Amino acid sequence: VPILELTSALALAAAKPEEDNEMADRCVEYLRQCVQPRDGGIAGSPYLISHIASTYAAIVALCNIGTQVAYDIVDLIGMKKYL
């Protein structure tokens, strides 16, 4: 999944309704792979270290998606420690 699809609310908003859920599911799955359980942050890509900018972008993307599945990938306790 290209990073532009993950962080761009415009790409999600421009999708056709039937594509909307598929794109949102792909974004959530990609971001799930970027979560770093050891420090609570989110990396810009799987297997990289967490960074505050990628963590912020991921949280914004997850909030834009707005599903319970999207919210559930955030470890609130770990995120609080990270921030």
Side-chain angles (χ1 to χ4, degrees):
V1 176
I3 195 72
L4 291 176
E5 285 184 27
L6 296 176
T7 57
S8 175
L10 293 176
L12 199 53
K16 296 176 184 167
E18 62 272 6
E19 296 171 347
D20 214 17
N21 288 338
E22 180 185 342
M23 185 183 299
D25 292 345
R26 288 175 43 211
C27 289
V28 170
E29 184 52 39
Y30 181 81
L31 290 172
R32 182 186 317 279
Q33 296 173 35
C34 296
V35 172
Q36 301 298 309
R38 70 175 178 268
D39 66 13
I42 302 174
S45 183
Y47 311 112
L48 296 180
I49 61 171
S50 302
H51 189 276
I52 192 68
S54 56
T55 299
Y56 173 78
I59 296 299
V60 169
L62 292 168
C63 288
N64 282 332
I65 292 169
T67 64
Q68 191 61 45
V69 174
Y71 298 145
D72 287 344
I73 73 165
V74 179
D75 172 13
L76 294 177
I77 295 169
M79 182 69 64
K80 184 176 178 182
K81 289 179 185 177
Y82 179 72
L83 297 175

